[in-house]
Amino acid sequence: MDIRKTAVVAAAGATTFFAMSKVFSTKEKKKESKSAPTFPVVDLENFLKDPKSAKEECRLIAEMLHKTGLLIVRDPRVSEEENDRFINNMEAYYGLETAEKMENVRKQYHYQIGATPEGIEQARNHCARAKGLSEDDRPVTLCPPGKDPKWRYFWRIGERPQQTEFKQLNVSNVVPKKIPDFTERMDRWGNLMMNTVRTVSQMAAEGFGLERDTFTKLMDKGPHLLAPTGSDLSKYNKKDTAFASYHYDLNFLTIHGRSRFPGLFVWTRENKRTPVSMPKGCLLLQAGKQFEWLTGGFVLAGFHEVVVADSTIKAKERAEKEGRSTWRVSSTLFAHIASDNTLEPIGKFSEESNAKNYPATKAGQQVSDELAAIKLA
């Protein structure tokens, strides 16, 4: 298959939630007519069959991570039907009564397992950074950001270390009572996502001129989290509502399949705001802060936000007419470096000009610090 087959990044626009705050931009709200750039779709099939035959794919993955912090891939092991089954499962969960979902909340573990209710997660304050962007590329998230009106469900994927300094980051899963086969369905999607992350991590390492297992060794027994969000469009459907305020992810790599409702916007290394949609059967990956740390800033954690756009509203109206759920579910997984491993620029990245900005730090400590900053610790 042609690895340079392009994915059209669909246009969408938005502003945000909680009108008490000051908006970054004073101009008219962004519209959905902005021309859409394109990203290459990288097919993983050649690498899976014969890694030596996929040098160009590995180079492209490394290049895209450096330039955009974002990848769109096609993994022959992950079908669109798998994504649909997982979203169906989470639509059923988020459709439960609030009291039933609250039984699955574990605040004592920083909400890093089980359910996180709406109005808990709050992005870091990136107002100064956003104000430095061009008018067209500023986020529509309010400044300072409010608390996000979305639910989330955290589910551990993979083995955990027998001994760890960070036990609260490695606790057991919470299983809802009302959703049949919940464990099987969560584990199925989570393991599929981790397989893709490991493959992409191997390809990125080769593309960067590192040993193939450089990143996968560091991820072994990490606190990987399947973390699907649920945003209730029957309740929050006003244009420019922000479900996930302007932020970067704290982990190594984030991956998810297509949502049934658009609204995701990302920023490239050049600080260009880009609306994103994926072709069917594809997966989106973004670099997180741990990736940035290990590469001394050669790869930057990708900023993004999720908002209600005109296209979100149209998709909601279609779902209502067809009798489908109007919960916007993301099929997200956060892949982590193992908590007891040390984050620091590795190999040639230790010579990056900004390497000194990434001092040796245990991954578990970095996660704990980030959780405190976003009000989850």
Side-chain angles (χ1 to χ4, degrees), residues 325-343:
S325 171
T326 53
W327 279 88
R328 185 192 188 279
V329 172
S330 70
S331 50
T332 308
L333 179 135
F334 298 131
H336 281 257
I337 299 302
S339 303
D340 296 280
N341 284 337
T342 298
L343 295 174

Side-chain angles (χ1 to χ4, degrees), residues 90-234:
M90 294 312 303
E91 286 179 347
Y93 175 75
Y94 287 126
L96 296 174
E97 294 295 328
T98 298
E100 294 173 317
K101 295 195 289 276
M102 290 300 294
E103 294 176 1
N104 306 127
V105 173
R106 299 294 184 270
K107 182 178 179 180
Q108 67 271 33
Y109 295 125
H110 306 165
Y111 298 100
Q112 291 299 287
I113 202 70
T116 304
E118 64 181 60
I120 297 296
E121 292 190 10
Q122 185 173 10
R124 276 180 179 260
N125 186 328
H126 296 293
C127 295
R129 184 181 192 278
K131 287 176 181 176
L133 302 178
S134 67
E135 193 72 31
D136 287 342
D137 294 310
R138 290 178 185 173
V140 295
T141 295
L142 298 175
C143 181
K147 293 183 177 180
D148 293 339
K150 69 175 184 293
W151 284 75
R152 190 189 293 279
Y153 206 97
F154 278 130
W155 182 268
R156 300 292 179 194
I157 294 296
E159 295 182 42
R160 294 294 179 264
Q162 292 183 347
Q163 295 183 334
T164 176
E165 184 182 338
F166 304 95
K167 292 182 180 179
Q168 285 192 333
L169 299 178
N170 295 276
V171 294
S172 299
N173 284 319
V174 178
V175 182
K177 298 176 182 177
K178 293 284 185 77
I179 306 298
D181 303 319
F182 191 83
T183 296
E184 176 185 350
R185 291 170 183 173
M186 296 293 273
D187 285 344
R188 171 69 180 171
W189 181 253
N191 286 318
L192 285 171
M193 293 298 91
M194 280 305 304
N195 287 339
T196 302
V197 168
R198 291 188 185 98
T199 299
V200 168
S201 298
Q202 290 174 336
M203 296 175 74
E206 292 209 357
F208 288 133
L210 304 171
E211 292 296 323
R212 186 184 303 170
D213 63 356
T214 298
F215 298 127
T216 51
K217 284 194 302 185
L218 291 170
M219 286 192 295
D220 185 45
K221 295 184 175 60
H224 312 302
L225 282 169
L226 186 58
T229 61
S231 304
D232 188 356
L233 286 166
S234 71

Side-chain angles (χ1 to χ4, degrees), residues 22-306:
K22 180 180 178 182
V23 185
F24 286 130
S25 174
T26 58
K27 289 188 177 180
E28 184 181 1
K29 295 175 183 178
K30 292 183 174 68
K31 298 181 179 180
E32 296 191 67
S33 59
K34 186 178 179 180
S35 60
T38 59
F39 291 108
V41 175
V42 183
D43 199 312
L44 308 186
E45 187 171 14
N46 284 344
F47 185 86
L48 292 170
K49 289 180 177 179
D50 178 14
K52 294 180 180 179
S53 71
K55 291 182 179 179
E56 175 60 13
E57 288 94 331
C58 293
R59 183 203 64 76
L60 182 56
I61 282 178
E63 177 184 306
M64 292 300 295
L65 284 169
H66 172 61
K67 289 183 176 180
T68 71
L70 177 147
L71 296 170
I72 296 177
V73 305
R74 191 182 301 278
D75 187 336
R77 299 168 295 185
V78 186
S79 67
E80 185 71 10
E81 289 72 24
E82 293 278 7
N83 187 55
D84 285 338
R85 279 191 287 270
F86 177 74
I87 290 179
N88 290 343
N89 183 60
M90 294 312 303
E91 286 179 347
Y93 175 75
Y94 287 126
L96 296 174
E97 294 295 328
T98 298
E100 294 173 317
K101 295 195 289 276
M102 290 300 294
E103 294 176 1
N104 306 127
V105 173
R106 299 294 184 270
K107 182 178 179 180
Q108 67 271 33
Y109 295 125
H110 306 165
Y111 298 100
Q112 291 299 287
I113 202 70
T116 304
E118 64 181 60
I120 297 296
E121 292 190 10
Q122 185 173 10
R124 276 180 179 260
N125 186 328
H126 296 293
C127 295
R129 184 181 192 278
K131 287 176 181 176
L133 302 178
S134 67
E135 193 72 31
D136 287 342
D137 294 310
R138 290 178 185 173
V140 295
T141 295
L142 298 175
C143 181
K147 293 183 177 180
D148 293 339
K150 69 175 184 293
W151 284 75
R152 190 189 293 279
Y153 206 97
F154 278 130
W155 182 268
R156 300 292 179 194
I157 294 296
E159 295 182 42
R160 294 294 179 264
Q162 292 183 347
Q163 295 183 334
T164 176
E165 184 182 338
F166 304 95
K167 292 182 180 179
Q168 285 192 333
L169 299 178
N170 295 276
V171 294
S172 299
N173 284 319
V174 178
V175 182
K177 298 176 182 177
K178 293 284 185 77
I179 306 298
D181 303 319
F182 191 83
T183 296
E184 176 185 350
R185 291 170 183 173
M186 296 293 273
D187 285 344
R188 171 69 180 171
W189 181 253
N191 286 318
L192 285 171
M193 293 298 91
M194 280 305 304
N195 287 339
T196 302
V197 168
R198 291 188 185 98
T199 299
V200 168
S201 298
Q202 290 174 336
M203 296 175 74
E206 292 209 357
F208 288 133
L210 304 171
E211 292 296 323
R212 186 184 303 170
D213 63 356
T214 298
F215 298 127
T216 51
K217 284 194 302 185
L218 291 170
M219 286 192 295
D220 185 45
K221 295 184 175 60
H224 312 302
L225 282 169
L226 186 58
T229 61
S231 304
D232 188 356
L233 286 166
S234 71
K235 183 178 179 182
Y236 301 107
N237 51 43
K238 183 179 179 181
K239 185 182 176 182
D240 305 328
T241 297
F243 288 126
S245 299
Y246 180 63
H247 70 288
Y248 61 77
D249 291 337
L250 60 86
N251 52 297
F252 178 64
L253 275 173
T254 300
I255 182 171
H256 51 98
R258 293 176 77 246
S259 174
R260 291 171 177 168
F261 301 90
L264 173 64
F265 292 78
V266 302
W267 276 259
T268 67
R269 191 180 188 93
E270 290 76 27
N271 291 321
K272 296 298 181 183
R273 183 179 187 267
T274 302
V276 175
S277 70
M278 289 181 288
K280 286 188 175 182
C282 290
L283 302 166
L284 175 72
L285 295 96
Q286 275 193 288
K289 199 66 175 181
Q290 292 179 344
F291 210 132
E292 179 177 328
W293 212 295
L294 292 171
T295 60
F298 187 78
V299 173
L300 295 177
F303 276 82
H304 50 286
E305 64 182 356
V306 178

Side-chain angles (χ1 to χ4, degrees), residues 334-377:
F334 298 131
H336 281 257
I337 299 302
S339 303
D340 296 280
N341 284 337
T342 298
L343 295 174
E344 59 185 337
I346 55 177
K348 66 179 184 180
F349 296 119
S350 63
E351 300 174 4
E352 284 291 308
S353 59
N354 292 324
K356 63 181 180 300
N357 296 330
Y358 303 93
T361 304
K362 288 284 187 71
Q365 186 59 54
Q366 176 258 343
V367 170
S368 296
D369 292 344
E370 291 277 0
L371 292 177
I374 59 175
K375 317 299 184 187
L376 292 183

